[in-house]
Amino acid sequence: EDQVTQSPEALRLQEGESSSLNCSYTVSGLRGLFWYRQDPGKGPEFLFTLYSAGEEKEKERLKATLTKKESFLHITAPKPEDSATYLCAVVTSGNTPLVFGKGTRLSVIA
Amino acid sequence: DARVTQTPRHKVTEMGQEVTMRCQPILGHNTVFWYRQTMMQGLELLAYFRNRAPLDDSGMPKDRFSAEMPDATLATLKIQPSEPRDSAVYFCASGIYNEQFFGPGTRLTVL
């Protein structure tokens, strides 16, 4: 059974304090790994897709990386507006349902 | 700016009542997904369609849940009869290739 585990469950950072969120996965054949951001009361917002080990993608203060067993979402010099739940998901076949982790709740304190 | 829309955004109902949730996918997306999110379980797949054909509904309690796509612009999720354990946020997502885009969700409370 495909599994996605995210850690930590919650993370509290001071503004400007860089850190990383982890997403480890056990799947039969990875076709893609996705990162989403979810704000309270809203749907998940797409951030990145990674397809192969070694791939990296960046957007503003966020950088996602992928290895054969896990992905990291690096947050550099975070700001309070980066506070949200970050969700990781995998897909093992084209255009099929995502298998989600439980998410990491990030709080950035000014 | 193309978005997935869902109605209603909030629904409070009593146990035993029928609930219908609606979703308008992004035009041109050929796959529509229904997910349910709870604090305990996180995001779970209920059902999905490709080119309006149902492909998998194994995540739904079949005796009370049903999902349909009467046309390319509308997907529906019905619960009849509703139970308190159905209280959750229900998300619709549409996609093409591997990227999925989520609607704002319907927050359902069953008393």
Side-chain angles (χ1 to χ4, degrees), chain B residues 31-103:
Chain B
T31 311
V32 175
F33 306 84
W34 282 104
Y35 293 91
R36 175 170 62 185
Q37 187 175 42
T38 61
M39 288 294 292
M40 291 297 295
Q41 300 297 327
L43 270 163
E44 301 175 294
L45 177 76
L46 295 174
Y48 79 106
F49 298 77
R50 183 169 300 139
N51 297 321
R52 296 177 54 203
L55 292 188
D56 185 354
D57 61 2
S58 59
M60 298 198 309
K62 304 269 192 319
D63 57 337
R64 299 186 301 109
F65 284 58
S66 62
E68 297 179 346
M69 264 199 91
D71 62 60
T73 65
L74 177 64
T76 63
L77 180 67
K78 290 186 181 180
I79 308 175
Q80 168 67 303
S82 57
E83 297 181 1
R85 59 180 167 155
D86 300 329
S87 297
V89 181
Y90 291 80
F91 288 105
C92 173
S94 71
I96 190 165
Y97 305 116
N98 285 318
E99 294 183 0
Q100 295 182 23
F101 297 88
F102 283 74

Side-chain angles (χ1 to χ4, degrees), chain A residues 31-32 34 36 38 40-46 49 51 57 85 87 91 93-102 105, chain B residues 9 30-31 33 35 37 39-45 48 50 56 91 95-105 107:
Chain A
R31 288 287 296 270
F34 302 80
Y36 285 83
Q38 186 173 24
K42 296 188 176 181
E45 175 187 346
F46 172 79
T49 308
Y51 292 104
K57 290 199 175 166
T85 295
L87 297 164
V91 66
S93 298
N95 207 7
T96 52
L98 299 173
V99 177
F100 280 90
K102 295 286 181 68
R105 291 190 312 279
Chain B
R9 292 295 313 280
N30 65 345
T31 311
F33 306 84
Y35 293 91
Q37 187 175 42
M39 288 294 292
M40 291 297 295
Q41 300 297 327
L43 270 163
E44 301 175 294
L45 177 76
Y48 79 106
R50 183 169 300 139
D56 185 354
F91 288 105
I96 190 165
Y97 305 116
N98 285 318
E99 294 183 0
Q100 295 182 23
F101 297 88
F102 283 74
R107 180 174 296 276

